[in-house]
Amino acid sequence: GAGVSQSPSNKVTEKGKDVELRCDPISGHTALYWYRQSLGQGLEFLIYFQGNSAPDKSGLPSDRFSAERTGGSVSTLTIQRTQQEDSAVYLCASSFNGLPYNEQFFGPGTRLTVL
Amino acid sequence: SQQGEEDPQALSIQEGENATMNCSYKTSINNLQWYRQNSGRGLVHLILIRSNEREKHSGRLRVTLDTSKKSSSLLITASRAADTASYFCATDESNYQLIWGAGTKLIIKP
């Protein structure tokens, strides 16, 4: 079966532009996570969805970041007025039901470069 | 916030040798997971150990957990070139969120 997919794989944008990143989780997985990973660093939690609801948005770095999930499936992470410090790899993961003992399945990530 | 901290930050060994990396965490946990990240396969789950378990095996992997010391170790035996990757521990801090360490970068020299 298909794994988690993300698009685009690479995105280069100019400072101040908006970008939209997409995640397509594994079919049937109710939980979806967004993380950010800077070069050589660990994963920084951004937001978690259970179905279409986001119980915890506290990881979003600023109000320029937003995310939504529709139909309990595809999610988009939007970054408005991008800044150079937003440059990172954005990873999406899904799991069966969101409980922490469940394995998270990761997509290949979107590498965002803000010039 | 960063819960798990891996040690060492980087490790370089000869193929065939064993590799040991450690993870320390700060608060009480229910589970601890180890993941591997390499350029070819991305981030992949390796093994989960529950707080009431002390040791777990999966193939060439052995994970230990010492809740009194709030630490875990990952041992890879008979290392192979394909084991070259970054290894992360992740602990559960809430009902759903995993907190990740910065990782250990493992290089296997042929």
Side-chain angles (χ1 to χ4, degrees), chain A residues 33 35 37 40-45 48 55-58 91 98-108, chain B residues 1-2 30-31 33 35 37 42-45 48 50 88 92-103:
Chain A
Y33 309 80
Y35 295 92
Q37 186 177 31
Q41 300 298 311
L43 275 68
E44 176 189 0
F45 170 80
Y48 154 76
D56 186 352
K57 304 178 183 179
S58 63
L91 292 165
L99 295 176
Y101 53 76
N102 282 322
E103 175 182 350
Q104 294 188 14
F105 294 82
F106 284 81
Chain B
S1 62
Q2 183 164 307
N30 295 307
N31 308 284
Q33 300 186 41
Y35 285 76
Q37 185 178 38
L43 197 60
V44 175
H45 177 267
L48 177 148
R50 301 186 192 282
F88 296 90
D92 61 323
E93 179 173 299
S94 69
N95 288 334
Y96 55 85
Q97 187 181 146
L98 292 179
I99 305 299
W100 297 74

Side-chain angles (χ1 to χ4, degrees), chain B residues 16-28:
Chain B
E17 292 180 341
N18 296 341
T20 300
M21 53 206 90
N22 305 294
C23 167
S24 60
Y25 55 92
K26 298 182 177 69
T27 63
S28 296

Side-chain angles (χ1 to χ4, degrees), chain A residues 11-19 81-88 111-115:
Chain A
K11 177 70 177 178
V12 180
T13 190
E14 293 179 347
K15 178 182 172 181
K17 300 281 189 185
D18 297 352
V19 295
R81 305 181 302 281
T82 52
Q83 303 294 312
Q84 288 182 331
E85 60 264 28
D86 299 334
S87 295
R111 182 175 299 276
L112 175 66
T113 303
V114 182
L115 301 176

Side-chain angles (χ1 to χ4, degrees), chain A:
Chain A
V4 178
S5 60
Q6 291 185 247
S7 62
S9 55
N10 278 286
K11 177 70 177 178
V12 180
T13 190
E14 293 179 347
K15 178 182 172 181
K17 300 281 189 185
D18 297 352
V19 295
E20 204 169 86
L21 312 180
R22 176 188 168 109
C23 171
D24 213 330
I26 291 172
S27 178
H29 280 191
T30 62
L32 185 147
Y33 309 80
W34 282 100
Y35 295 92
R36 179 168 71 175
Q37 186 177 31
S38 299
L39 188 63
Q41 300 298 311
L43 275 68
E44 176 189 0
F45 170 80
L46 298 179
I47 190 169
Y48 154 76
F49 286 93
Q50 182 60 258
N52 293 333
S53 302
D56 186 352
K57 304 178 183 179
S58 63
L60 295 176
S62 74
D63 58 9
R64 296 185 295 104
F65 287 71
S66 63
E68 65 174 13
R69 188 180 186 194
T70 55
S73 181
V74 172
S75 175
T76 55
L77 177 69
T78 302
I79 309 173
Q80 295 178 309
R81 305 181 302 281
T82 52
Q83 303 294 312
Q84 288 182 331
E85 60 264 28
D86 299 334
S87 295
V89 175
Y90 289 80
L91 292 165
C92 173
S94 70
S95 72
F96 178 65
N97 62 10
L99 295 176
Y101 53 76
N102 282 322
E103 175 182 350
Q104 294 188 14
F105 294 82
F106 284 81
T110 293
R111 182 175 299 276
L112 175 66
T113 303
V114 182
L115 301 176

